[in-house]
Amino acid sequence: MNTKDLAYFDRLIKLKNFSQVAAEFGVTQPTITTAIKRLEADFGAKLVLRDRVHNDLTVTASGQQLTIHAAAILRKLDLAHQEITHLTQQRTVLGLPPIIENHYFPRVAAHLQERGMLENIETLEGGSVQLRNALRDGQVDLALLGSTEPLSYKTLVAEEFDRQPFNIFVSAAHPLAKRKRIYFSELRREKFVLFNNSFIHDTAFNQLARRNHFRPDVVFRARDTHIIMNLVAENVGVTYLTGLVDQHRNDVVRLELLDDEQPEFISSIAYRSSHVLTPAQEQVLAVLRGTLED
Amino acid sequence: MNTKDLAYFDRLIKLKNFSQVAAEFGVTQPTITTAIKRLEADFGAKLVLRDRVHNDLTVTASGQQLTIHAAAILRKLDLAHQEITHLTQQRTVLGLPPIIENHYFPRVAAHLQERGMLENIETLEGGSVQLRNALRDGQVDLALLGSTEPLSYKTLVAEEFDRQPFNIFVSAAHPLAKRKRIYFSELRREKFVLFNNSFIHDTAFNQLARRNHFRPDVVFRARDTHIIMNLVAENVGVTYLTGLVDQHRNDVVRLELLDDEQPEFISSIAYRSSHVLTPAQEQVLAVLRGTLED
DNA sequence: TAGTCGTTATAAAAATAATTTATAATGGGT
DNA sequence: ACCCATTATAAATTATTTTTATAACGACTA
């Protein structure tokens, strides 16, 4: 059976129009008609009902079933292509969320540099959720990921290497600046400047807010810690970040949270369990482990 | 790309011999040679190294990578075939572990009978582990499964409908027969007759034994509760089973276990999350829920 | 050391399969 | 009644896969 037919079918289910599918693939319309007929013969079942009256196309139960599997098969095939391409090239694509990149990557990069391995590494930045998808889809070979729960996905191997509490940062000019420790509930009246919600900080923050039964006033969201820190310094609001962010500034003060059962920022090295690592990738992995897991 | 090529490749990796693969598929040897070449061209990488000197075939990293995905793709394709075949037929294959079959199925069957649905149901018996695989592989559409932990597999939907403690059964002639409750540790000197280890009873039993720091003396294993009960009645040993088994005999006595944190026998209705149920299967599911979950 | 065996590779021919071209069929809208 | 946007069908064409026949390679053996 030809996977091209599955691709045609997959698009047909979405577009519900034979001619459009044909146009998308740059083939003629009868090609699609015959491809679907081939599949129907192969599976011994009608997959779609062509209702030319209402210009509509209904997917049968068998068709729905095949849709699910066809999508999975095409995804796997695509993954195989990408992975093998990466394997034959020297390159390793490393996914890094910005906080981890700022805090841990300089040390890793130094070690990679020593071994002359840095130039074969390409980094991809993004939130942990986005990177997890990129990892799954083969765009990334190895990633450092942040999470609030230990990562456990059947498709991923994750090795935890650090846990950090979240902290509150306030302007040095803020009344709370003289405190060292604080309960989250004391922040009920504060304005917050937070990370963009594609980051797990948001998950952690929401958990904590829910447990404390209030809805914090979030006045701004940014995707960069420096912007957040600048806003905090200007007393636009307070923020909730891991202690990993740059603390070497004297206009911002870090406060520890006293709450029980706080979410933690868990950092892990992750890669696909189905992925065969190249020797180069194994070496990168070894450097990551050596640098981060000691 | 033709999935036939993946099938050829998959077998080649196992057999490591082009001619044998050709023979298995009933094609000639050059067919395999060209199929592998096609794949190598398609993925832009050598997949196997033909070492005719040592009559050996080495799989490259790319080849290993493809092996993993090819197997998954072929499995999915096979699953799609099986599921669609079941969909187009009226039949529902229901997996039942023997204990659940004995205890719950009569009630379910009565309800199915009332609705004239019983004749379209085929049952497959087996241990919970075996049935979980059959479910995954598409040989079974719906299953009732026993487990000691709540079932959570990404590929399965599981709905728990009952929990039962495990009990100890002893012969009416046994010194312990006058007791109502007992600690597992008191059974240190007993001989055990147990279920075959493809059943989860074994998992539960081992847990309990480990927690009590002793290695029980298992004198016999059977795959049928009646045989076990007969052996217990004859005082060959005592057994460890759920209270679900037939208790209407006066030559065997049931004792409750007093241990904290005992394993429980969790019964669930399960089906593949990727499976589109036929109306008939939905009806069977509704009857199962109606009968078991009230 | 020539002959045979068990391998995989190659090239041309044959067989099979997929796609296009051209056209039909269907029903809705104008 | 005619046009438009559909999908289906059949024949012709093109592409792909498989077979046939044979080569090449090295190990083993008489």
Side-chain angles (χ1 to χ4, degrees):
Chain A
M1 209 208 52
N2 207 308
T3 55
K4 225 192 282 178
D5 288 358
L6 292 179
Y8 294 158
F9 177 73
D10 183 64
R11 286 307 287 159
L12 178 63
I13 298 305
K14 263 144 215 152
L15 295 176
K16 298 197 183 299
N17 180 310
F18 284 63
S19 313
Q20 283 178 37
V21 174
E24 270 201 12
F25 283 95
V27 296
T28 59
Q29 167 265 310
T31 302
I32 308 304
T33 301
T34 50
I36 301 304
K37 279 179 109 171
R38 264 197 302 275
L39 288 178
E40 291 186 327
D42 187 19
F43 286 98
K46 272 255 163 296
L47 298 173
V48 291
L49 301 172
R50 294 82 158 168
D51 180 0
R52 285 197 276 174
V53 180
H54 305 92
N55 227 1
D56 196 33
L57 185 139
T58 333
V59 185
T60 65
S62 301
Q64 285 175 33
Q65 185 65 79
L66 186 59
T67 306
I68 294 168
H69 291 302
I73 288 170
L74 293 170
R75 219 183 63 71
K76 276 234 183 312
L77 206 56
D78 190 52
L79 189 56
H81 267 106
Q82 294 206 49
E83 289 186 336
I84 291 176
T85 304
H86 279 182
L87 274 178
T88 49
Q89 291 171 0
Q90 300 282 26
R91 310 266 294 302
T92 300
V93 181
L94 179 62
L96 293 168
I99 296 204
I100 289 184
E101 181 166 25
N102 279 320
H103 189 262
Y104 298 105
F105 194 62
R107 268 193 293 155
V108 174
H111 283 154
L112 289 171
Q113 178 98 78
E114 279 171 26
R115 289 165 181 75
M117 290 158 60
L118 193 57
E119 57 213 17
N120 295 324
I121 287 180
E122 186 185 327
T123 62
L124 180 72
E125 281 148 65
S128 290
V129 176
Q130 180 197 338
L131 285 178
R132 211 170 56 223
N133 291 338
L135 192 55
R136 187 196 59 197
D137 296 344
Q139 287 133 31
V140 165
D141 302 304
L142 292 170
L144 300 180
L145 296 179
S147 60
T148 55
E149 299 291 325
L151 292 168
S152 73
Y153 293 89
K154 219 173 64 186
T155 51
L156 293 188
V157 179
E159 301 171 5
E160 179 179 328
F161 63 85
D162 199 12
R163 278 185 190 228
Q164 291 282 343
F166 285 92
N167 297 135
I168 295 296
F169 292 83
V170 303
S171 163
H174 194 284
L176 289 169
K178 56 184 184 303
R179 298 275 298 272
K180 283 266 181 300
R181 293 175 195 75
I182 196 169
Y183 282 97
F184 190 75
S185 57
E186 299 179 68
L187 301 168
R188 195 178 295 265
R189 302 270 164 247
E190 295 296 328
K191 296 188 186 313
F192 286 89
V193 177
L194 291 185
F195 235 142
N196 178 316
N197 56 15
S198 78
F199 296 92
I200 59 121
H201 291 72
D202 204 53
T203 316
F205 185 78
N206 288 337
Q207 263 178 41
L208 211 43
R210 207 173 321 110
R211 282 194 199 136
N212 282 278
H213 310 294
F214 72 96
R215 220 178 198 306
D217 181 12
V218 178
V219 294
F220 191 73
R221 286 180 184 275
R223 52 163 44 73
D224 183 297
T225 49
H226 300 107
I227 295 175
I228 294 175
M229 282 313 212
N230 287 337
L231 290 170
V232 169
E234 292 299 325
N235 223 339
V236 174
V238 305
T239 194
Y240 176 78
L241 285 173
T242 62
L244 298 180
V245 301
D246 176 27
Q247 300 161 27
H248 312 294
R249 43 193 301 171
N250 48 23
D251 52 356
V252 171
V253 173
R254 183 167 69 91
L255 307 178
E256 284 174 21
L257 280 166
L258 292 162
D259 301 55
D260 291 339
E261 295 199 31
Q262 283 178 53
E264 286 180 300
F265 185 86
I266 302 176
S267 305
S268 308
I269 303 173
Y271 50 95
R272 277 183 301 288
S273 41
S274 69
H275 183 43
V276 178
L277 298 166
T278 57
Q281 289 170 359
E282 289 280 9
Q283 280 175 30
V284 174
L285 186 56
V287 171
L288 288 175
R289 286 181 179 140
T291 315
L292 300 171
E293 291 181 357
D294 50 32
Chain B
M1 210 206 55
N2 207 311
T3 55
K4 227 191 281 179
D5 288 357
L6 292 178
Y8 294 158
F9 177 72
D10 182 63
R11 286 307 288 159
L12 178 63
I13 297 307
K14 261 142 218 156
L15 295 176
K16 299 199 183 299
N17 180 308
F18 284 63
S19 314
Q20 281 179 38
V21 174
E24 271 202 11
F25 283 95
V27 295
T28 59
Q29 168 265 310
T31 302
I32 309 303
T33 301
T34 51
I36 302 304
K37 281 180 109 171
R38 265 197 302 274
L39 288 178
E40 291 186 327
D42 186 19
F43 286 98
K46 272 256 163 296
L47 298 173
V48 291
L49 302 173
R50 294 83 159 166
D51 180 0
R52 284 197 277 173
V53 180
H54 305 91
N55 226 3
D56 196 32
L57 185 139
T58 333
V59 185
T60 66
S62 301
Q64 283 175 34
Q65 185 66 77
L66 186 59
T67 307
I68 294 169
H69 291 302
I73 288 170
L74 294 170
R75 220 184 62 73
K76 274 232 184 313
L77 206 55
D78 191 51
L79 188 57
H81 268 107
Q82 293 205 51
E83 290 187 335
I84 291 176
T85 305
H86 279 182
L87 274 178
T88 50
Q89 291 170 358
Q90 299 283 25
R91 307 191 63 77
T92 300
V93 181
L94 180 62
L96 293 168
I99 296 203
I100 290 184
E101 182 167 25
N102 280 321
H103 189 261
Y104 299 106
F105 194 61
R107 268 193 294 154
V108 174
H111 283 153
L112 289 171
Q113 179 98 78
E114 279 170 27
R115 290 164 181 73
M117 289 157 62
L118 193 57
E119 58 213 16
N120 295 323
I121 288 180
E122 187 184 326
T123 62
L124 180 72
E125 280 147 66
S128 289
V129 176
Q130 180 196 339
L131 285 177
R132 212 169 57 223
N133 292 338
L135 194 54
R136 188 196 58 197
D137 297 343
Q139 287 134 31
V140 165
D141 302 305
L142 292 170
L144 300 180
L145 296 179
S147 60
T148 56
E149 298 291 326
L151 292 168
S152 73
Y153 293 89
K154 219 172 64 185
T155 51
L156 293 188
V157 178
E159 302 170 6
E160 179 178 329
F161 63 85
D162 199 13
R163 276 182 190 231
Q164 291 282 343
F166 286 92
N167 298 132
I168 297 295
F169 291 83
V170 303
S171 164
H174 194 284
L176 288 169
K178 57 185 184 300
R179 298 275 297 274
K180 283 268 183 297
R181 292 175 194 76
I182 197 171
Y183 281 98
F184 190 75
S185 56
E186 297 179 66
L187 301 167
R188 193 178 298 264
R189 301 272 164 248
E190 296 296 327
K191 297 190 185 311
F192 286 88
V193 177
L194 291 184
F195 235 141
N196 178 317
N197 57 14
S198 76
F199 296 92
I200 60 122
H201 292 72
D202 203 53
T203 316
F205 185 78
N206 289 337
Q207 263 179 39
L208 211 44
R210 206 170 323 109
R211 282 193 199 137
N212 281 277
H213 311 293
F214 72 96
R215 222 177 198 308
D217 180 12
V218 179
V219 294
F220 191 72
R221 287 181 183 275
R223 51 165 46 75
D224 183 297
T225 49
H226 300 106
I227 294 175
I228 294 175
M229 283 312 213
N230 287 338
L231 290 169
V232 169
E234 292 298 326
N235 224 339
V236 173
V238 305
T239 193
Y240 175 78
L241 285 173
T242 63
L244 299 179
V245 300
D246 177 26
Q247 299 161 25
H248 314 294
R249 44 193 301 171
N250 49 24
D251 51 356
V252 171
V253 173
R254 183 167 68 90
L255 307 177
E256 285 174 21
L257 281 165
L258 292 162
D259 299 56
D260 291 338
E261 296 199 27
Q262 282 177 56
E264 286 179 298
F265 184 86
I266 303 176
S267 304
S268 309
I269 303 172
Y271 51 94
R272 279 183 300 289
S273 42
S274 71
H275 183 43
V276 178
L277 299 166
T278 57
Q281 288 171 359
E282 289 280 9
Q283 280 174 30
V284 174
L285 185 55
V287 171
L288 288 174
R289 285 179 179 142
T291 314
L292 300 171
E293 291 182 357
D294 50 32

